[in-house]
Amino acid sequence: MTVRILGTGSCLPETVVTNDFLSGIMDTSDEWIASRTGIRERHLVKEETTAQMAAEAAKRALEDAGAEASDIDLIIVGTITSDHVTPSAACEVQDIIGAENAIAFDISGACSGFMFSLHTAYAYMQAGMSKKALVLGAESLSRIMDWNDRSTCVLFGDGAGAVVLGADATGLLAFDQGTDGARGKVLTCPGRLNNNPLVQQGLQQGYVQMDGQEVYKFAVSTVPASIQKVLKKANVRTEDIKYFLLHQANIRIIQSVAKRLKVSEDKFPLALDHCGNMSAASVPVLLDEVNKKGMLKRGDKVILAGFGAGLSWGTALLEW
Ligand code: UT7
């Protein structure tokens, strides 16, 4: 017995921001953004919150799975942009969808957040601690962007994706995940400073800072190696994989991974052109788009891979 994805859902904010719009407010261009990254537009929150988007994605995933909120006994949200320090986004999702039988918590794994959450839910279920779980990736990344830093703010978008997990004879077949904290400084976002009667370091606005080239080098070497490890663990050949659903950071990273694995780029569906990089939400939103387009049939083998800040990475092989 393993754990299978029974349904998917996603939710993007209503407002679309194009590269041309950004060119009107900062020194950038559609040509630079599209040719360097593949991104043409992204959705940004106005009134929406991380928890609202996550709850909507969760409702859609439940509907797709034919499950009720009351069936869910575990909710995990991968996010670095929950609306509050506490309660977590997962607690808010539990309340909004009425999953009163679930325990709920967030995982801070940045762009690997959904993959870490998926693996954690899998472990709970294999240990008999959960029978039906909701796993999400949800971000309002635009909140933590420095909108005066064109090298980062044009890359990211907001959104949420969800999957429902249940026990089945097939499904999640193998995982690989890792962390390299020693290289963490290449992609950071500061938190709160010490503030108590002994020391007051003041309020600090925390924005994402990235050494893009270092993250790029990390991604193009680590992701193919992680995928190969997972395939080896499950004794599955690269050519048996129908789709590789990668974190949507940059089309050039995806092309490089395809080349290193000697796989056609056609097997790497994309959402980054219209979503940008949504950190933990990238993989589940892409999976939902692929599922809802009817591109998957029972028995198809699919790779999911997230990677980024930490540095961190997580890969899973599943049979649909
Ligand atoms: O989700 C977490 C994982 N993150 C990633 O995987 C990101 C990985 N890294 C990347 O995708 C790429 O490194 C970037 C897309 C972030 C940057 O691409 P790059 O080819 O590494 O560009 P660069 O940083 O070397 O910058 C090249 C030039 C610079 O100008 P000079 O110094 O050559 O005159 C930048 O100032 O491009 C300039 N530049 C821009 N120009 C127009 C940087 N941002 C922009 C911009 N518009 N938005």
Side-chain angles (χ1 to χ4, degrees), residues 111-112 178-180 183 186-187 211-225 247 253 257 260 306-314:
C111 304
S112 309
T179 302
D180 182 1
R183 285 198 283 170
V186 301
L187 179 41
D211 180 338
Q213 291 186 1
E214 284 305 312
V215 181
Y216 189 98
K217 280 187 245 164
F218 150 76
V220 297
S221 58
T222 308
V223 177
H247 170 50
I253 293 177
V257 172
R260 284 179 195 227
F307 53 88
L311 295 174
S312 63
W313 62 96

Side-chain angles (χ1 to χ4, degrees), residues 262-278:
K262 300 189 176 62
V263 173
S264 160
E265 283 173 35
D266 298 345
K267 288 192 165 192
F268 290 72
L270 299 175
L272 58 75
D273 54 335
H274 58 281
C275 292
N277 176 345
M278 297 183 293

Side-chain angles (χ1 to χ4, degrees), residues 23-297:
S23 315
I25 58 170
M26 68 184 77
D27 182 17
T28 189
S29 64
D30 177 52
E31 200 283 324
W32 192 94
I33 302 170
S35 65
R36 298 269 175 158
T37 69
I39 299 164
R40 294 211 165 265
E41 53 189 40
R42 72 288 290 142
H43 294 246
L44 299 186
V45 289
K46 281 174 86 177
E47 305 301 327
E48 299 93 342
T49 67
T50 300
Q52 283 167 359
M53 292 189 292
E56 191 52 43
K59 286 180 194 166
R60 293 172 188 173
L62 286 169
E63 196 185 334
D64 190 41
E68 299 294 328
S70 56
D71 299 338
I72 300 296
D73 53 22
L74 172 68
I75 301 173
I76 309 180
V77 180
T79 185
I80 52 168
T81 49
S82 60
D83 302 303
H84 314 283
V85 173
T86 192
S88 66
C91 290
E92 290 197 86
V93 169
Q94 185 217 22
D95 178 38
I96 298 169
I97 68 172
E100 68 272 7
N101 300 316
I103 62 151
F105 56 89
D106 291 355
I107 285 184
S108 171
C111 304
S112 309
F114 174 77
M115 299 308 302
F116 285 3
S117 301
L118 187 68
H119 202 170
T120 304
Y122 170 86
Y124 262 71
M125 295 176 85
Q126 291 292 34
M129 292 161 64
S130 164
K131 288 193 165 48
K132 203 159 268 184
L134 254 173
V135 178
L136 300 101
E139 304 284 11
S140 301
L141 286 177
S142 56
R143 285 182 189 158
I144 57 168
M145 288 301 131
D146 177 353
W147 288 93
N148 293 311
D149 176 11
R150 67 177 182 170
S151 70
T152 51
C153 69
V154 303
L155 306 172
F156 295 92
D158 303 328
V163 299
V164 175
L165 300 179
D168 207 333
T170 189
L172 293 163
L173 301 179
F175 287 89
D176 175 60
Q177 55 186 5
T179 302
D180 182 1
R183 285 198 283 170
K185 288 192 175 57
V186 301
L187 179 41
T188 58
C189 182
R192 292 183 178 202
L193 298 174
N194 290 349
N195 181 39
N196 61 38
L198 308 177
V199 54
Q200 279 139 31
Q201 296 178 338
L203 282 175
Q204 176 181 298
Q205 280 283 29
Y207 294 120
V208 167
Q209 291 180 330
M210 178 167 73
D211 180 338
Q213 291 186 1
E214 284 305 312
V215 181
Y216 189 98
K217 280 187 245 164
F218 150 76
V220 297
S221 58
T222 308
V223 177
S226 179
I227 292 173
Q228 273 159 345
K229 255 193 209 170
V230 164
L231 293 174
K232 197 168 170 209
K233 266 187 200 168
N235 201 19
V236 169
R237 297 173 311 165
T238 318
E239 50 271 36
D240 296 331
I241 302 299
K242 176 96 179 267
Y243 293 119
F244 297 79
L245 305 184
L246 266 51
H247 170 50
Q248 302 283 292
N250 187 324
I251 195 165
R252 292 185 293 140
I253 293 177
I254 293 168
Q255 288 165 338
S256 170
V257 172
K259 200 167 161 199
R260 284 179 195 227
L261 292 175
K262 300 189 176 62
V263 173
S264 160
E265 283 173 35
D266 298 345
K267 288 192 165 192
F268 290 72
L270 299 175
L272 58 75
D273 54 335
H274 58 281
C275 292
N277 176 345
M278 297 183 293
S279 190
S282 280
V283 170
V285 168
L286 177 62
L287 176 63
D288 184 49
E289 290 192 0
V290 166
N291 179 28
K292 299 288 165 64
K293 283 179 191 158
M295 292 162 65
L296 292 170
K297 58 178 192 326

